[in-house]
Amino acid sequence: MGIVLIPAIMALAGCKTEKSPDNPTVLGTPAKTAYLGVEYYYNFGAYGGDAILDYSLTNAPPWLAMEDTSNKAREGIIIRGVPGVTGGNRGEADLGTTNDINLTATDGSRVGVQPFDIEVKQNLVTASAENFTEGERSDDVDGAGEGETCAMPPMKGTGLHQITYDTFNTDGTVSGSESATLKTYPVIVRVLLDQPSVQTTKIAFELQSDYDPTACDDGATSGQDCEFSLRNREEAQLGKDVVLAGNRNNSGGEERLPQPDYIEVIDDTSGVLTIDRGITECFIRLEVVDDQFAEPTEQFEIALTEVRQGLVALGGDNDGVSESLSIADNQPAVTFQSLKGHSVSAINEGDTQNFQAVLDRKQEPDDTVYKVRLINDSDNATATDPDYEFLVPDDVGSTTYVAGDELTFSEGVDTVEFQVRAIDDSSAPPASENPTGDGPDNNDEYVSVSVDSDYQDGRPNYAASESDLKVWLNELDSPLEVGDESAGKTPSDVVVGDNGRMFVASALKDSSDGHYDVVVDIYNRFGGAPEKTFTLSADSGVDPQPRLAFLRTTIEAGTESRVRNALALTFATDGAISGASNRGGKDEAVYLFRRDAGDAAYSELWHGQFGSGGDDTPLRIGINASNRVFIAGETAGTWSGETRAGGKDVYAQRIDTETEDAVQSPVIAWTSQQGSSSDDTLAGLGVSSSTAYLAGTTLGQIGDETPLGGRDLFTSSYSGGTESSPSIVQVGTSSNDTLNTAVAASSSYWMLGDGNFGYRRDINTDEYVAELVTDASDSSKQGYLLSYDLSGNFRTAISLNDPDDVASDSFTALTAFDGDMIVGGHSDAAFVEGKGAGMILARVRSEDEVVEEPAEDEEDDPIEHEFTKLVEDDREQYPSLGSNARLIKLAAYEDAEIVALVASGSSGSRVYHLVLLNGDGQLLNTP
């Protein structure tokens, strides 16, 4: 069989057609960029031709050449060179672009050409560093000592450096000088080459600072006004704050923090860095001096000033590299706060209140004595010296206080109390505080308790400032009665507006016919009689339950800006307000009042009455920055253009201002009626920009989601528009969830309620999401606060119960205050241990919490999930207001004071007061 095949193969071979050889072709595209002092290399491939190829390089720069090869049959060639070095050491003369370099391949008869261009650039040097902190060393760099990275300089231990510093008299003049030998901590600056050089590089460097001892304040020539002037205060002093090498590192026969071989130290602040060939990252180690002075973060620079050897460039223009560096202080720092740990408080004029300074010693030992000098920070405060006085302990540990401004933290003591006295100047007030002068159009004043850094600068063992304390000086310290049920006046809402004005809305019942009107009283921050009252005819046979909203904005008026204060009012009426007619059942009445800057008083802008034909009950009102009014409530009818879901629905509505013939009037921009086939209730309204946020409860299915239990919660948001619909989320648990009130604040819904069970937040560790969970039912009633984001996603929850779990604790009001939530109501027993029945308040704050999910691969870092938890900071109970005192509404004034509308007495004869409290829950004007 093989003998037969051979002729066949030969026959086939004899029939083959010869093909001409391909032209020589050079394969590959070399890099278009080369760097001075850095090897450039490329290996070309080739094919084609009828013989061994010969190569030639034409129009090449002097530094570039073909590499000789002994393998003449090799298909391809290597080009290689080092700009600035090969071809005659031309240095920077090799910079620039060479175009149309040709690599030619030929077999003697055919030719292939590969043209290319090369631009030679500088090998740039840069520097970088993390921010430094006194008392801390830099972290080691991963991979140091390997590949193209220098070895780390010695970083273990501390160095020593001796400084001499001035001491100061009380007035800041120099009293003498002292020396101190201080620890230093090693930190690194990274120096990087863009490319590995074939040559060893030497670079001179130095530390630089803008500190100028001749730049003085207030005409001084020496002392604190020079060393710590406005120009110098945030500038590092070289040789005192930072050095290249501590001047006492070799003291005591011990070498501390030896320099690496690649650093040559010239003096405290300058040296030369040597970077071996092939290295692209090296380090300059500095030493930060850990002193005993309280300082702000200080700035300085490291400058790479000169290339003493090698072909590298310091910046694009080769004129040097500077890297800005900073040193944060680690000095113990003090936080000023109320006795309950809050950063804002209030006291009455004429009163003296204890506060506390809390020292964070940081890394410093407990046996060191520190001081702090108090000052009212005039840059942030509105009160001045005649308005207040500081009192400090007359001796360490004493509870006797004398006028003074210096606190001492003795060994092991981290908390020291001091007092602020608010000077009573009511007998001869300045115009800005005169109730009959400019006082009503100014805010309460406040003291900003801080550290006197001007005094403390340069004085050892004084603590820095961690956080200041704002103490408001309250002018309203007497009871303020705003309603009396027996006289027919029943307040239902209060808001706080411009300069502490308190707006109270009340129903006014006519004893002769039982019909109601509505009254809005405006009280200024001094109390007393209302400075203005609006009495509005409601002609209502049902309690109108008026609600208020206030907003202060800045508007553009021509080329100027001015402040606008807007007050909105809504209430229900089964009658008709002035100039309007009833639409059927209960209607919604709405008023807008305004006071612009320069106006003597508030005036009515417009009013209107609207309805669905059924019973409409407006329950909440809001205003946005465009002075558009938003109303939310409940309806048994059908608003125009809307569909009734069944039972009692909720609705949201926007009302705009329409101007015709210079007359302004209200017009409904849109209404959104929402509900289930059962009864739905509204608990709260929030307004942000043009969006209305609602929260409430439902007994059915509201929106598209499946009910969770008998009574659920819901959130809703709507911005209007003919093509849009509200975004409704049905939330809660499988239990009967209830709400008493809700607000939208800090980008969240906050829902307050009470019942025979509480709530808590659990974390589902399968999906790492927060879940709302009910606690076991109880025989006594307790409160709870729930939080959802504005998309309706659950965030967190907390229960509020009396310590013995025997009282009936009801919660009816809440307000945002200084970043926290204040919630309140009534307890019929001891909500606070040792207290009797009465009004209650609790302060709740949010805390971030990180929960780690184990990674699937044990070598990977865990996955971090962020959650929010609620913490009850403190609680108070007020039996002095009466065991039957009821909290109607809470409002906040400038995060300075809490304003509570409180009813006391029995049904039919209740008396209503505005009660002011500070952030610690202390009463400021007890009825």
Side-chain angles (χ1 to χ4, degrees), residues 274-400:
T274 299
I275 303 175
D276 285 341
R277 59 185 182 179
I279 296 295
T280 57
E281 181 175 8
C282 214
F283 311 104
I284 298 173
R285 192 194 64 204
L286 312 177
E287 297 179 32
V288 172
V289 179
D290 188 14
D291 58 35
Q292 299 300 308
F293 306 110
E295 303 159 320
T297 296
E298 296 171 315
Q299 312 296 323
F300 70 105
E301 293 181 342
I302 188 165
L304 310 181
T305 57
E306 180 186 2
V307 178
R308 296 192 175 179
Q309 180 179 315
L311 289 172
V312 297
L314 303 178
D317 296 329
N318 202 16
D319 56 356
V321 170
S322 292
E323 176 71 8
S324 296
L325 307 172
S326 67
I327 305 172
D329 196 33
N330 70 334
Q331 186 75 351
V334 67
T335 295
F336 300 107
Q337 56 189 214
S338 72
L339 297 185
K340 289 189 175 180
H342 301 133
S343 61
V344 178
S345 191
I347 60 176
N348 290 330
E349 270 204 1
D351 286 356
T352 301
Q353 180 77 35
N354 277 47
F355 298 95
Q356 61 188 10
V358 179
L359 181 69
D360 178 2
R361 290 180 178 268
K362 300 185 178 179
Q363 300 94 346
E364 298 302 317
D366 288 344
D367 60 358
T368 304
V369 176
Y370 286 96
K371 295 181 179 181
V372 67
R373 178 65 67 99
L374 303 176
I375 194 173
N376 177 31
D377 183 359
S378 58
D379 290 337
N380 294 312
T382 57
T384 56
D385 288 345
D387 299 313
Y388 73 95
E389 183 180 30
F390 290 135
L391 296 98
V392 299
D394 64 353
D395 200 358
V396 174
S398 173
T399 56
T400 300

Side-chain angles (χ1 to χ4, degrees), residues 56 69 91 184 493 518:
S56 61
T69 176
T184 64
D493 203 5
V518 170

Side-chain angles (χ1 to χ4, degrees), residues 360-621:
D360 178 2
R361 290 180 178 268
K362 300 185 178 179
Q363 300 94 346
E364 298 302 317
D366 288 344
D367 60 358
T368 304
V369 176
Y370 286 96
K371 295 181 179 181
V372 67
R373 178 65 67 99
L374 303 176
I375 194 173
N376 177 31
D377 183 359
S378 58
D379 290 337
N380 294 312
T382 57
T384 56
D385 288 345
D387 299 313
Y388 73 95
E389 183 180 30
F390 290 135
L391 296 98
V392 299
D394 64 353
D395 200 358
V396 174
S398 173
T399 56
T400 300
Y401 296 89
V402 296
D405 55 11
E406 191 158 283
L407 303 177
T408 299
F409 297 87
S410 56
E411 295 183 14
V413 174
D414 296 332
T415 300
V416 175
E417 292 189 16
F418 64 97
Q419 294 180 335
V420 176
R421 175 179 294 152
I423 306 300
D424 184 1
D425 57 7
S426 58
S427 60
S432 62
E433 299 176 49
N434 192 336
T436 61
D438 298 334
D441 290 323
N442 291 300
N443 270 320
D444 282 348
E445 296 177 314
Y446 61 87
V447 177
S448 181
V449 183
S450 187
V451 162
D452 186 352
S453 57
D454 288 344
Y455 175 84
Q456 293 188 175
D457 283 340
R459 301 178 193 266
N461 293 341
Y462 275 83
S465 175
E466 187 75 31
S467 181
D468 294 350
L469 168 69
K470 183 182 285 188
V471 181
W472 290 82
L473 310 181
N474 176 50
E475 300 273 5
L476 176 53
D477 57 2
S478 56
L480 182 57
E481 182 179 320
V482 295
D484 186 340
E485 203 170 37
S486 63
K489 188 176 184 181
T490 307
S492 56
D493 203 5
V494 61
V495 293
V496 182
D498 55 309
N499 304 310
R501 284 184 171 84
M502 294 163 285
F503 304 85
V504 180
S506 305
L508 186 63
K509 187 175 184 179
D510 188 329
S511 60
S512 62
D513 62 9
H515 277 211
Y516 292 88
D517 289 330
V518 170
V519 174
V520 177
D521 291 312
I522 305 176
Y523 298 89
N524 64 41
R525 64 189 178 96
F526 298 96
E531 66 176 21
K532 189 173 182 64
T533 295
F534 292 97
T535 301
L536 310 169
S537 175
D539 190 27
S540 179
V542 296
D543 187 346
Q545 288 288 306
R547 307 294 179 188
L548 292 168
F550 175 88
L551 188 68
R552 184 181 181 95
T553 55
T554 300
I555 62 169
E556 301 299 323
T559 59
E560 297 181 352
S561 298
R562 63 179 177 181
V563 172
R564 167 161 290 171
N565 302 299
L567 177 71
L569 166 73
T570 189
F571 56 86
T573 177
D574 61 1
I577 63 174
S578 175
S581 59
N582 187 271
R583 307 298 179 92
K586 284 194 300 182
D587 283 355
E588 159 196 292
V590 57
Y591 287 72
L592 182 63
F593 306 92
R594 183 178 290 173
R595 184 188 186 199
D596 288 352
D599 291 348
Y602 280 85
S603 60
E604 180 189 322
L605 186 67
W606 50 247
H607 65 263
Q609 183 168 336
F610 306 99
S612 68
D615 280 343
D616 307 305
T617 307
L619 297 173
R620 298 290 188 274
I621 188 168

Side-chain angles (χ1 to χ4, degrees), residues 894-909:
E894 292 278 353
D895 286 340
E897 297 161 6
I898 302 160
V899 179
L901 176 58
V902 180
S904 58
S906 57
S907 178
S909 59

Side-chain angles (χ1 to χ4, degrees), residues 715 729 731 747-749 770 787-796:
T715 67
V729 183
V731 297
S747 301
S748 298
Y749 291 101
S787 180
Y788 288 79
D789 68 23
L790 295 183
S791 297
N793 300 304
F794 174 67
R795 295 177 65 243
T796 189

